Amino acid sequence: MSSSLLIKEKAGWFSESGAHEDVVISSRIRLSRNLNGHMYPGKMEQDEEDKVGAEISDSFGKISGATIFRTDEVGNINPLDRKILLERNHISQDFTLHQSRKFALSEDNLSSCMINERDHIRLSVFGGGLDVEECYKKADAIDRELEKYLDYAVSFDLGYLNTEVGNLGTGMKVSVMMHLPALVKTNLIEKALKAVVQIGFTVKGFMGDEDHSLGSMYQISNQFTIGHSEQELIEKLENLAQQISLYERKAREELFEKKRTELEDTVYRAYGLLTNCRLLGSNEAMQNLSMLRLGAALGMFELPMNVCSTLIFLSQKSHIQRMLGKDEDASNDSLIDFTRAELIKKVILEKQL
């Protein structure tokens, strides 16, 4: 079983640089769309689902412009590549289980679309750092191209019709992934996240929950789309992300000034472990790479922010298994931990030369 999607091993949205990247790892725009005259996914018979999937897939093939997509059925994507797409936030866990559904991925691995997931179209565009406006421009351009060939379900009163009430209106989810280790260490994270929720945004931990996110990474997004224009949603999230970035930087400064020895010990211990250990588990890698990224942001050593972010994602299990290549090796947990340790050590030392 092979994939025609050309998933790049060492390239993805996490390797992109951008504004405020010391705190904001990435930005994403997600557009939800449905087609007129068809039941929603989950309610359709298989014949209708296949018809809708083929129509949308054909439309992606007709898109003109800078973004070129390849589409394939989930069942034609090998299981390991499906897990990689899941680790990169391109697809949902449930989507991986539907063999006949189609998926589209751009050649640069920055844009993707789940076809017939909760909605007929769930288009996502990613960017590095705080780059919401540029992500929107790309998503809007793709959306306009698709609309030339597809009859979207739109209401004058409710906007784009979706399966979830929260997605009515623009049908747009705006999100940023933020690295907030200083707020976690100073016990201010709960206060900061409560303020986010109070103004109508949601918070999701990375491979965890709101209170226990691995690597101190949190995804913040708008809760509702109806009643707000695209530009309003973008501006609100950008302002919020900048405000939280300011809080995080102040917390970092406070730690550096008042608990410098303890902070340096934590960061250099992480550096020492990552550049010397022989076996490294996924969770241990995540937590120590988080501290490495904090140290780099504070200028404790020279290491680009996008390199730190790339290591966080490439060190996930499926990415390591993909690097190993052979199926019999990819299931060996000890070899996976060894390969992860060697990858991280090699990248850190090479980038500091």
Side-chain angles (χ1 to χ4, degrees):
M1 188 179 298
S2 62
S3 171
S4 64
L5 293 176
L6 297 180
I7 300 170
K8 297 180 180 178
E9 184 176 290
K10 297 181 181 179
W13 52 264
F14 44 80
S15 63
E16 297 290 301
S17 295
H20 301 279
E21 64 180 352
D22 59 320
V23 180
V24 184
I25 294 175
S26 65
S27 303
R28 185 188 73 171
I29 292 287
R30 192 193 74 196
L31 301 179
S32 298
R33 302 286 187 258
N34 287 285
L35 306 188
N36 264 325
H38 294 286
M39 299 289 286
Y40 288 131
K43 299 292 184 180
M44 294 187 290
E45 297 293 335
Q46 190 61 53
D47 288 348
E48 185 179 14
E49 183 174 307
D50 291 343
K51 181 180 178 180
V52 170
E55 186 177 354
I56 295 172
S57 180
D58 289 345
S59 298
F60 270 103
K62 297 174 183 177
I63 288 179
S64 61
T67 306
I68 300 174
F69 284 87
R70 294 175 182 269
T71 60
D72 208 341
E73 288 187 1
V74 171
N76 290 333
I77 306 171
N78 69 61
L80 186 56
D81 279 352
R82 284 180 232 164
K83 291 178 182 178
I84 288 174
L85 290 169
L86 179 62
E87 288 179 352
R88 295 186 181 191
N89 291 339
H90 281 298
I91 60 177
S92 64
Q93 179 69 56
D94 181 68
F95 189 74
T96 66
L97 306 177
H98 297 274
Q99 302 286 300
S100 63
R101 291 183 178 175
K102 293 182 181 294
F103 174 77
L105 181 68
S106 65
E107 287 191 336
D108 60 9
N109 285 201
L110 299 180
S111 305
S112 60
C113 183
M114 290 185 288
I115 300 173
N116 287 329
E117 195 229 14
R118 294 188 181 181
D119 295 288
H120 295 144
I121 293 173
R122 284 211 162 177
L123 172 69
S124 295
V125 176
F126 294 84
L130 186 56
D131 199 23
V132 180
E133 183 69 46
E134 187 60 30
C135 288
Y136 171 69
K137 289 178 181 177
K138 292 179 181 179
D140 185 55
I142 297 167
D143 188 43
R144 289 177 184 273
E145 283 290 314
L146 291 174
E147 201 167 12
K148 293 178 182 178
Y149 313 106
L150 301 171
D151 181 18
Y152 286 162
V154 183
S155 164
F156 182 78
D157 295 320
L158 300 176
Y160 290 102
L161 301 182
N162 288 281
T163 55
E164 299 175 2
V165 174
N167 284 339
L168 293 173
T170 63
M172 184 176 79
K173 283 282 187 179
V174 191
S175 63
V176 290
M177 184 174 289
M178 306 191 72
H179 184 220
L180 307 174
L183 288 177
V184 172
K185 279 190 165 294
T186 55
N187 297 315
L188 294 172
I189 189 66
E190 184 177 350
K191 181 179 179 180
L193 297 185
K194 278 185 177 179
V196 169
V197 174
Q198 286 173 354
I199 60 175
F201 287 80
T202 61
V203 180
K204 180 181 179 182
F206 179 76
M207 295 178 65
D209 55 34
E210 295 83 4
D211 300 318
H212 303 93
S213 178
L214 279 176
S216 301
M217 296 190 293
Y218 297 86
Q219 181 177 291
I220 298 172
S221 60
N222 57 302
Q223 187 171 4
F224 299 105
T225 63
I226 194 167
H228 302 280
S229 69
E230 289 90 346
Q231 201 57 45
E232 286 174 339
L233 292 171
I234 290 169
E235 289 177 2
K236 284 184 177 181
L237 185 62
E238 284 187 335
N239 291 336
L240 177 60
Q242 290 179 23
Q243 191 65 47
I244 296 174
S245 295
L246 180 61
Y247 294 153
E248 170 65 19
R249 292 188 190 109
K250 286 183 176 179
R252 292 177 184 183
E253 290 174 5
E254 182 178 336
L255 281 173
F256 201 68
E257 290 174 4
K258 298 181 178 180
K259 296 184 178 182
R260 181 166 180 167
T261 301
E262 292 90 335
L263 176 63
E264 288 180 336
D265 182 69
T266 300
V267 170
Y268 285 123
R269 278 176 183 271
Y271 178 88
L273 184 144
L274 293 171
T275 54
N276 289 282
C277 71
R278 301 286 286 166
L279 297 173
L280 188 60
S282 178
N283 287 3
E284 187 179 19
M286 194 77 63
Q287 299 292 19
N288 283 283
L289 284 170
S290 173
M291 289 299 99
L292 183 81
R293 195 178 193 281
L294 173 61
L298 289 170
M300 296 171 67
F301 37 76
E302 293 185 11
L303 196 62
M305 287 293 99
N306 65 318
V307 171
C308 297
S309 300
T310 298
L311 283 174
I312 286 172
F313 287 88
L314 289 186
S315 65
Q316 293 179 94
K317 183 176 182 179
S318 297
H319 282 77
I320 299 298
Q321 289 177 308
R322 173 78 176 277
M323 293 174 64
L324 287 170
K326 297 180 181 180
D327 292 339
E328 59 269 24
D329 292 338
S331 61
N332 185 324
D333 287 340
S334 181
L335 182 57
I336 290 171
D337 289 350
F338 172 79
T339 305
R340 179 184 291 113
E342 289 297 299
L343 166 70
I344 292 173
K345 175 169 60 178
K346 180 181 178 181
V347 171
I348 292 173
L349 295 179
E350 282 184 353
K351 291 299 179 179
Q352 286 193 289
L353 293 177

